[in-house]
Amino acid sequence: MQTKQNHLIVFLLLLFINSLTSYSQLHAQDDKFVVVLDAGHGGHDSGNVGNGHSEKDIALKVTLEVGKSLAKNPDIKVIYTRKTDVFVELHERANIANKADADLFVSIHCNAHSSQASGTETFVLGEKNTNRNFEVAKRENEVIFLEENFEEHYEGFDPNSIESGIALTIEQEIYVEQSIILARKIEDNFIGKAKRKSRGLKQASLLVIRNTYMPSVLVEVGFLTNKKEGSYLNTKAGQTKMASAIKTAIIDYKEELDLNVGSHLSIANKEVTTPTEEETPQIIEGITFKVQIAASSKQLEPKSYNFKGLSEITRDKAGNIFKYYSGKTSDYNKIQNLLSKARKEYSGAFIVAFKAGKRISMTEALKSASN
């Protein structure tokens, strides 16, 4: 009888230890930096086939190569929207990222043009639709016509309408700053590491990043319609080179979030002026202004000593990213003075606005002043 009891105790102890191990592993997984990689097109959507090359196949090979390299980092979890030649609807690609509570969404494509245009481009969501950018957005967004019930998923969105495109930018405005930082790193790596021609960072109204609740970019690794570039991208060596540049940019972005809480993590609002202390208060009822000084995956105590002596520190969480602010006021002139002080320590600081606890655009906030 005693032996059976001992066996039972040992069994329960092992069960308890196993449950603790599973719990620990689960939470260790939760702490990872989640990157969703999206290979453009797939299945019956071939993408472009410039010079006989297949965009859907090249995009998938580059994407898998990026993921394979990232997965070697124990602090990163990689999720794919597709790993094989299948068709995934645009809205579902965003859903995959949102359900995973991802930290980054990176969509990989190959470009096309009627000329022998060449070079890489990385897009973030935005309304700056030059003719060229609008044509890229139009081509990528027209994929919705290959989906069943596309009217239901895209609420009357018209890929041929610039107005429809501009409406998309509002939904992801809060993440554009971080998206731009990643996009710049990717393009810099294409130039410095892959030794490729870069056409730079662009903004366009792209449906695939419309509803992602995290920093998101769409990468065009080159033009298949350019004979030389298309041939390069169709080789294993070319795909590996481009994948390595993207992978390194993602890791650099993550490390910057972890290690450099502050100046390198934000894009400054260049339109803001710096008034003197004597200016008359400009109160905007119902609006709260703060100065965003940092965004990081690190959770720090919102104390002055953690942020170079700046006062009134507050912290919000968006996904797995913590955002840190200094100041809290409805006085627009006061917040500009606070911005001037913050920029002495954090050059990338900028003003953000809230209404009823929800972040809104500065344009909307300042419109309230005239109502």
Side-chain angles (χ1 to χ4, degrees):
M1 183 68 177
Q2 185 67 35
T3 302
K4 288 183 178 180
Q5 286 180 336
N6 289 341
H7 286 167
L8 179 60
I9 291 171
V10 170
F11 173 76
L12 290 173
L13 281 172
L14 288 173
L15 186 63
F16 176 68
I17 291 169
N18 184 63
S19 67
L20 283 179
T21 302
S22 298
Y23 179 84
S24 176
Q25 289 174 343
L26 176 63
H27 281 260
Q29 183 87 328
D30 288 345
D31 291 337
K32 290 189 175 184
F33 188 83
V34 180
V35 179
V36 171
L37 298 176
D38 173 52
H41 309 281
H44 61 277
D45 171 21
S46 62
N48 88 75
V49 288
N51 289 305
H53 306 306
S54 171
E55 178 182 5
K56 68 173 184 177
D57 293 337
I58 293 174
L60 179 59
K61 289 175 182 177
V62 173
T63 299
L64 292 175
E65 192 71 28
V66 174
K68 179 181 175 183
S69 298
L70 285 176
K72 294 177 183 177
N73 188 316
D75 297 323
I76 294 177
K77 177 182 178 181
V78 177
I79 295 174
Y80 301 92
T81 58
R82 70 178 183 99
K83 296 179 72 174
T84 58
D85 184 18
V86 295
F87 179 71
V88 183
E89 296 178 341
L90 291 185
H91 69 92
E92 182 55 29
R93 295 169 191 257
N95 287 342
I96 290 169
N98 293 336
K99 288 175 184 176
D101 195 20
D103 297 286
L104 287 179
F105 178 83
V106 179
S107 187
I108 296 174
H109 295 250
C110 302
N111 226 328
H113 198 263
S114 57
S115 71
Q116 281 296 297
S118 64
T120 64
E121 296 176 326
T122 300
F123 287 85
V124 300
L125 199 65
E127 65 182 63
K128 295 180 180 178
N129 281 312
T130 63
N131 289 338
R132 166 64 187 150
N133 293 356
F134 178 68
E135 288 305 314
V136 172
K138 179 180 173 182
R139 184 178 69 248
E140 299 295 353
N141 291 338
E142 282 178 342
V143 172
I144 66 173
F145 295 133
L146 299 177
E147 302 179 16
E148 294 182 5
N149 303 320
F150 70 86
E151 299 95 336
E152 176 184 340
H153 295 301
Y154 303 105
E155 301 174 355
F157 175 83
D158 179 6
N160 298 308
S161 164
I162 290 179
E163 288 74 19
S164 286
I166 290 173
L168 298 184
T169 66
I170 298 171
E171 300 182 33
Q172 225 228 8
E173 182 182 12
I174 191 171
Y175 304 106
V176 168
E177 308 128 21
Q178 302 303 112
S179 302
I180 289 173
I181 292 169
L182 175 61
R184 283 179 175 162
K185 289 182 179 297
I186 291 172
E187 287 301 313
D188 286 347
N189 280 353
F190 283 152
I191 298 169
K193 297 183 181 298
K195 307 302 180 185
R196 306 301 295 172
K197 173 186 174 182
S198 169
R199 298 165 64 93
L201 184 157
K202 306 289 180 67
Q203 288 185 282
S205 304
L206 296 158
L207 272 171
V208 71
I209 52 178
R210 169 187 181 180
N211 288 326
T212 52
Y213 305 137
M214 71 283 306
S216 303
V217 298
L218 184 145
V219 184
E220 299 277 8
V221 294
F223 287 77
L224 298 185
T225 46
N226 179 284
K227 291 181 180 180
K228 186 176 180 180
E229 196 161 75
S231 295
Y232 174 79
L233 292 172
N234 201 41
T235 65
K236 174 68 174 176
Q239 293 158 11
T240 300
K241 202 80 170 177
M242 304 309 285
S244 178
I246 297 170
K247 177 266 297 184
T248 303
I250 292 171
I251 290 176
D252 287 348
Y253 173 91
K254 177 188 179 300
E255 289 178 350
E256 193 167 282
L257 286 180
D258 289 338
L259 301 177
N260 297 320
V261 176
S263 60
H264 298 291
L265 301 179
S266 302
I267 304 300
N269 182 342
K270 296 180 180 178
E271 297 178 358
V272 175
T273 58
T274 54
T276 62
E277 293 285 352
E278 290 76 21
E279 283 201 57
T280 303
Q282 184 183 351
I283 305 298
I284 302 180
E285 296 293 339
I287 303 297
T288 299
F289 295 107
K290 299 181 181 182
V291 176
Q292 183 170 322
I293 54 176
S296 173
S297 57
K298 276 187 176 181
Q299 182 175 2
L300 301 177
E301 284 298 311
K303 303 293 185 181
S304 179
Y305 57 75
N306 278 331
F307 296 92
K308 302 182 180 180
L310 294 179
S311 61
E312 292 185 280
I313 303 297
T314 54
R315 180 186 68 207
D316 286 340
K317 189 177 182 183
N320 292 327
I321 301 298
F322 295 96
K323 296 191 174 184
Y324 298 92
Y325 309 94
S326 175
K328 183 179 180 182
T329 180
S330 295
D331 183 349
Y332 185 58
N333 286 340
K334 181 180 179 180
I335 203 64
Q336 290 186 79
N337 280 311
L338 292 175
L339 174 64
S340 181
K341 293 177 182 177
R343 281 188 176 169
K344 292 177 182 178
E345 304 295 342
Y346 297 93
S347 61
F350 59 102
I351 296 173
V352 293
F354 297 85
K355 185 175 183 178
K358 182 180 179 181
R359 180 167 168 175
I360 61 174
S361 71
M362 288 297 296
T363 302
E364 183 180 347
L366 295 177
K367 279 183 180 177
S368 302
S370 58
N371 292 339

